[in-house]
Amino acid sequence: MTHPKRIFTRALGFALCLGASAAFAAAPFSASATRGQTVYEKACAACHGETGNGKGQGAGPLHPKPRDFTTGIYKFRTTALGDLPTDSDLLRTVTNGLPHTQMPSFKNTLTEQERVDVVAYIKKFSADFEEAEGEPEVIAIPEPPASSPAYVAEGKDVFMTLDCWTCHGPKGEGNGNAAKGLKDGWGNPIRPMNLTNKQYKGGSDAKNIYRTIHTGLNGTPMSAFGGAFGFGGDKELNTQALATAYSKAEISALQAYMASQPTAAAVSAMDADEKEALTQRRKWALVHYVRSLQKQSLVNWLFVEDTEVTK
């Protein structure tokens, strides 16, 4: 017997996609900024502005503010912190939208050709794209290992060790001691991500979380942590600060974890493969811990999960 949720969500997905089959067709032509301008004026200018400065007529009450394309600064990328995004990065945002913002998914309202074209036009707002030499280097994202209680437990230790809790909070609710007063690169107030949400702006699956941790978010206080996972077990912990957020038992568990890890000297002496294995294990442990914080909501269960809007 088909689960009632499946019947409901399939029906909802069909209703959302009805009449929009053209949106899933592959783009038959190469990208055209000229065509993209028409798409932009129709679908994007109201918020992002005719000049791409993020100050369209509808931008005033929006929070967070629409992206200012003239700066060439983009949060969601597969490239290094400070680098430009790839065309695929921009297309992914246009296609999927950004949960918890007013940036919608255009997967069902614009054809793939229109989305490819509007990406080409958006790039015209910043000279950085024309001045860039070659394609930016894209980080490699391995296949994630299966989660396990051991991975999640180690991930919590990594979360504490790298001070993720100071912004995201000890339970990942975005209420850490350093969360107040944060601003983005445009001077707008910004809050750390509430990791207990089921959907993240940059994607809440394992690979997208890995990407965000590794590359950071341009224009925000979220730095790139790709190179932070080679710490030694003798790394000094700020137990006084930890005590303001965690119990004695949790701090003791962290200290036991650190005592079990190779020292900084031992990590430095590892060959490239050993060091890569260590850092990758810690990265995926943090990813699995972050995912363990996500809470399912009734609204998400009924109206979002497993429907076409998430595919």
Side-chain angles (χ1 to χ4, degrees):
M1 178 178 178
T2 304
H3 193 283
K5 177 192 173 185
R6 291 287 177 187
I7 296 174
F8 178 84
T9 55
R10 286 172 186 168
L12 177 62
F14 177 78
L16 288 171
C17 296
L18 189 63
S21 59
F24 298 95
F29 306 110
S30 58
S32 164
T34 301
R35 291 193 304 264
Q37 181 176 0
T38 301
V39 179
Y40 181 88
E41 291 171 351
K42 175 181 69 174
C44 314
C47 291
H48 292 284
E50 292 185 4
T51 63
N53 63 359
K55 297 179 180 180
Q57 292 181 346
L62 300 184
H63 181 76
K65 296 300 181 184
R67 173 65 54 241
D68 177 354
F69 297 131
T70 66
T71 65
I73 298 174
Y74 292 85
K75 294 179 182 178
F76 307 109
R77 319 160 326 282
T78 53
T79 57
L81 190 70
D83 282 357
L84 292 170
T86 66
D87 288 3
S88 294
D89 291 333
L90 296 176
L91 182 61
R92 183 175 60 250
T93 299
V94 173
T95 299
N96 297 333
L98 299 175
H100 308 293
T101 77
Q102 284 71 41
M103 172 64 186
S105 164
F106 285 96
K107 179 168 63 176
N108 296 331
T109 54
L110 297 177
T111 66
E112 184 169 344
Q113 183 68 63
E114 288 173 321
R115 285 178 269 138
V116 168
D117 291 341
V118 81
V119 164
Y121 181 67
I122 287 169
K123 292 168 61 179
K124 295 293 185 181
F125 288 122
S126 172
D128 292 347
F129 287 100
E130 290 187 3
E131 296 170 358
E133 298 181 1
E135 292 293 319
E137 184 177 352
V138 175
I139 68 160
I141 303 178
E143 286 300 314
S147 183
S148 68
Y151 257 128
V152 172
E154 180 169 13
K156 180 177 180 179
D157 292 323
V158 174
F159 186 85
M160 296 169 70
T161 300
L162 297 183
D163 294 332
C164 305
W165 63 273
T166 59
C167 287
H168 291 286
K171 295 182 180 179
E173 296 172 339
N175 58 352
N177 296 335
K180 295 180 180 179
L182 294 179
K183 294 184 182 296
D184 66 16
W186 297 268
N188 301 310
I190 188 171
R191 298 286 295 178
M193 182 65 193
N194 182 343
L195 302 175
T196 67
N197 288 333
K198 188 67 176 177
Q199 290 183 300
Y200 300 165
K201 294 174 187 174
S204 52
D205 61 286
K207 283 190 173 183
N208 275 314
I209 294 172
Y210 180 103
R211 173 180 54 80
T212 299
I213 291 171
H214 198 285
T215 66
L217 300 176
N218 287 338
T220 80
M222 175 65 186
S223 188
F225 282 83
F229 292 85
F231 56 83
D234 50 354
K235 172 182 169 69
E236 186 175 353
L237 300 174
N238 188 341
T239 53
Q240 185 175 357
L242 286 165
T244 66
Y246 292 97
S247 68
K248 290 181 179 179
E250 288 173 309
I251 295 172
S252 294
L254 172 61
Q255 291 171 326
Y257 166 75
M258 294 296 282
S260 73
Q261 298 301 295
T263 64
V267 173
S268 180
M270 290 178 176
D271 63 35
D273 289 342
E274 290 176 317
K275 190 176 296 185
E276 178 70 5
L278 175 68
T279 57
Q280 287 294 339
R281 189 194 75 221
R282 288 171 172 173
K283 287 178 186 179
W284 286 117
L286 180 57
V287 168
H288 287 310
Y289 174 66
V290 168
R291 297 200 76 209
S292 77
L293 298 173
Q294 297 171 359
K295 296 178 181 177
Q296 179 68 288
S297 70
L298 179 61
V299 171
N300 185 276
W301 186 87
L302 285 174
F303 296 105
V304 179
E305 188 172 304
D306 292 335
T307 69
E308 285 299 325
V309 277
T310 63
K311 296 291 192 291

